Amino acid sequence: MALYRTQAIVLRHCNMGEADRIITLLSREYGKIRAVARGVKRPRNRLIGGTQIFTYSEFLIFEGKNLDNISQCEIKESFFKIRDDLEKLTYASYMAELINEFLPEREKNEEVFFLFLKTLHWILKGNDIELIARFFEMKLLLLIGLLPYMESCVYCGGSLEEGEIYFNASMGGAVCSRCFRMGQESMQIERGTLKLMRSLAVIKFEQLALIKTSLNLKQELERVMRSYITYHLEKKLKSLEFLNKVKNKTMT
Ligand SMILES: [Zn+2]
């Protein structure tokens, strides 16, 4: 049976039988893959460390008839400090779920791999985690070809430099005041929110700290992104419910 080696980050795992787990990996070489970690729920199993959520490891995998099997893994970065912090864990879980939902299996996307790896580093550093989440969403949408249209009205192509601005998930982006009634559920947004969206789509991680924004705009952007992502996935993400709980806790 063929063996292959790959660098990958653990996106999720689920139990299979008494001792095994199916691990979903975001790999650099093969995109999203699923493989079984045999005996990983038994104490002192050699695959325990490398198959923890968000752990970045080098994996040796052999192909199976149905599912592949993890033969070895060597930890490159454990990111255990993310798992130890409820807020960081919750946000990283949300991002992992986004990747898992949006990426098809076995389709190489090295850029998404590096986006997630870098995002985990930035979460560790403890910067503005809300803004990191929005940045991540925007970059992920860009990399999978689903970036919302923000340059002009998505419906008529008219300028958005004057007048009220709306956002419509089903239309695919920003809409002008003449067209917003064409689609259901247009939401009016601040000019600052549109600017923030445009910036997040083009800046690099290192420039994130330079972004000046307000709580108001960040909250509005969150609503915009939620509506857009939910529209495209056609479902609510499981991790969002938990994320909301954690947020409410930290706000009170
Ligand atoms: Zn228009």
Side-chain angles (χ1 to χ4, degrees):
M1 250 180 270
L3 266 174
Y4 60 95
R5 195 175 282 279
T6 183
Q7 296 176 29
I9 306 164
V10 177
L11 289 180
R12 56 174 292 179
H13 49 53
C14 59
N15 295 333
M16 186 174 86
E18 254 172 51
D20 308 339
R21 266 185 182 147
I22 299 176
I23 315 289
T24 307
L25 298 167
L26 175 65
S27 75
R28 181 177 171 181
E29 293 83 354
Y30 307 97
K32 189 178 83 176
I33 49 181
R34 295 197 308 147
V36 181
R38 302 256 174 229
V40 76
K41 283 162 74 188
R42 295 204 182 97
R44 292 189 299 279
N45 181 283
R46 65 200 155 78
L47 300 178
I48 292 174
T51 55
Q52 300 286 313
I53 300 277
F54 313 131
T55 303
Y56 170 34
S57 305
E58 170 120 9
F59 289 87
L60 193 62
I61 299 173
F62 58 89
E63 284 175 19
K65 257 190 192 160
N66 300 314
L67 278 165
D68 292 358
N69 289 277
I70 298 172
S71 167
Q72 289 171 31
C73 55
E74 196 178 311
I75 299 175
K76 286 167 132 4
E77 278 179 272
S78 79
F79 289 113
F80 73 92
K81 283 189 175 160
I82 292 182
R83 291 191 299 277
D84 273 0
D85 180 310
L86 183 63
E87 193 186 33
K88 291 184 168 118
L89 170 72
T90 311
Y91 276 88
S93 302
Y94 164 68
M95 294 171 196
E97 195 182 359
L98 274 187
I99 293 173
N100 189 43
E101 291 295 336
F102 273 122
L103 250 54
E105 271 189 54
R106 299 262 166 194
E107 210 169 273
K108 183 179 175 177
N109 195 329
E110 220 173 15
E111 285 167 306
V112 172
F113 171 82
F114 283 113
L115 170 67
F116 194 42
L117 186 59
K118 222 166 181 185
T119 304
L120 292 174
H121 279 131
W122 279 81
I123 291 176
L124 262 192
K125 283 185 198 164
N127 303 71
D128 184 340
I129 203 160
E130 279 289 337
L131 207 53
I132 292 175
R134 300 294 87 78
F135 177 87
F136 173 83
E137 291 165 340
M138 204 62 106
K139 294 295 190 208
L140 180 65
L141 291 170
L142 175 73
L143 293 176
I144 58 175
L146 279 179
L147 192 71
Y149 190 70
M150 301 172 284
E151 295 319 307
S152 55
C153 171
V154 68
Y155 195 78
C156 73
S159 167
L160 296 171
E161 300 319 307
E162 274 172 34
E164 292 165 348
I165 302 169
Y166 296 78
F167 185 86
N168 191 295
S170 60
M171 288 162 105
V175 191
C176 77
S177 57
R178 294 176 300 278
C179 303
F180 78 94
R181 284 190 197 87
M182 300 296 180
Q184 284 177 340
E185 294 175 39
S186 289
M187 58 172 106
Q188 195 178 350
I189 59 170
E190 300 277 338
R191 190 162 300 276
T193 303
L194 182 67
K195 274 189 176 172
L196 184 56
M197 290 171 76
R198 286 172 176 169
S199 302
L200 291 176
V202 295
I203 61 166
K204 291 188 163 56
F205 248 122
E206 292 70 22
Q207 294 166 294
L208 201 53
L210 305 172
I211 293 255
K212 292 207 174 25
T213 181
S214 65
L215 183 64
N216 216 5
L217 291 188
K218 276 197 281 185
Q219 285 174 342
E220 189 168 87
L221 178 58
E222 186 186 1
R223 285 197 296 276
V224 167
M225 297 309 279
R226 287 255 169 113
S227 76
Y228 189 73
I229 287 167
T230 311
Y231 174 78
H232 279 282
L233 289 177
E234 295 177 337
K235 68 176 194 182
K236 261 198 167 159
L237 293 167
K238 281 184 209 139
S239 55
L240 272 182
E241 202 177 312
F242 197 64
L243 188 90
N244 289 337
K245 274 187 198 157
V246 170
K247 276 174 69 171
N248 289 338
K249 235 183 202 168
T250 50
M251 278 170 117
T252 47

